[in-house]
Amino acid sequence: MKNIKLLGLLLILLVFITSCSSVSVLSDYDQKADFNGYKTYAFYKTGIDKAQISDLDKKRILRAIETEMSSRGFVKSEKPDLLVSIFTKEQERVDVYNNNYGWGGAWGWGYNPWAWGPGFGWGGTSVSASTQGSLYIDLIDNNTNELVWQGKGVGTLSNTKNITKKEERIREFVSQILEQYPPNAVAMK
């Protein structure tokens, strides 16, 4: 019985941990754009300067984008095919969990993974706060100056003082967003 209870607790913990680290990703694109023609890129300084995050986090995001673009065969250029811009938003999220299992219930004795004995119940309320962050990556055709692709990642940001973990989380955001590019390759999967 103890093993079943422990296994159940470990499964719940595993689901909680993996759900906290995921990034929800959406992308949109111009269906008339020729994504095969894009080979070079540069950062769109005007757009990046408007992002309301620290300069250090901007650098982390741009380094992660450079790594991802390079892995897709793109080359940074003074005369780029694409301009890359970013936009960020963050929002505080508060979750309230009511763990009151109530009074009453079935009288008698038996196995319940959460309680033993008569159904008198226990519980309480717990509150957790986190920061929900959104990172938008825009790809703009440099010849037409029109947006041709946009990726958005939404997830919980780590309010950690550990810089290594912060950089890992930023790389995870960027990587999962740019997995959606180019759209034709995603549609073929």
Side-chain angles (χ1 to χ4, degrees):
M1 293 289 182
K2 279 186 175 181
N3 289 341
I4 292 172
K5 181 180 170 187
L6 183 61
L7 181 60
L9 185 60
L10 288 174
L11 286 174
I12 290 170
L13 183 63
L14 180 64
V15 168
F16 178 73
I17 289 171
T18 57
S19 69
C20 289
S21 67
S22 67
V23 177
S24 176
V25 176
L26 298 169
S27 66
D28 195 6
Y29 63 97
D30 180 353
Q31 291 182 335
K32 295 180 181 178
D34 177 17
F35 291 97
N36 294 323
Y38 300 127
K39 305 290 183 208
T40 59
Y41 76 98
F43 290 113
Y44 184 58
K45 184 172 175 11
T46 305
I48 292 169
D49 287 345
K50 292 179 183 177
Q52 296 180 356
I53 54 174
S54 76
D55 287 343
L56 292 171
D57 282 342
K58 282 181 192 177
K59 286 180 186 179
R60 291 179 181 109
I61 292 169
L62 298 180
R63 278 194 302 262
I65 291 172
E66 283 180 349
T67 300
E68 289 297 319
M69 294 296 278
S70 176
S71 73
R72 286 168 173 69
F74 282 87
V75 177
K76 205 170 178 184
S77 170
E78 293 290 323
K79 295 184 181 188
D81 302 321
L82 289 173
L83 296 172
V84 179
S85 186
I86 63 170
F87 176 75
T88 59
K89 284 196 303 190
E90 66 179 42
Q91 168 183 343
E92 281 298 315
R93 178 179 168 168
V94 178
D95 294 315
V96 179
Y97 302 99
N98 187 356
N99 297 325
N100 188 355
Y101 295 104
W103 295 90
W107 287 94
W109 295 89
Y111 172 74
N112 179 335
W114 305 107
W116 294 268
F120 289 102
W122 72 94
T125 302
S126 63
V127 178
S128 70
S130 61
T131 303
Q132 248 340 58
S134 299
L135 172 62
Y136 294 81
I137 300 176
D138 293 342
L139 300 182
I140 302 161
D141 185 303
N142 193 29
N143 292 326
T144 64
N145 206 28
E146 292 183 8
L147 180 67
V148 292
W149 185 88
Q150 181 178 65
K152 174 186 176 186
V154 179
T156 304
L157 299 176
S158 306
N159 292 331
T160 181
K161 293 179 182 180
N162 184 329
I163 300 303
T164 303
K165 286 184 180 181
K166 188 175 195 176
E167 287 186 2
E168 286 174 14
R169 186 67 174 152
I170 288 172
R171 282 193 303 267
E172 179 184 7
F173 258 77
V174 170
S175 174
Q176 288 188 25
I177 293 168
L178 287 175
E179 277 181 9
Q180 302 289 313
Y181 184 85
N184 299 334
V186 173
M188 292 179 184
K189 287 184 181 179

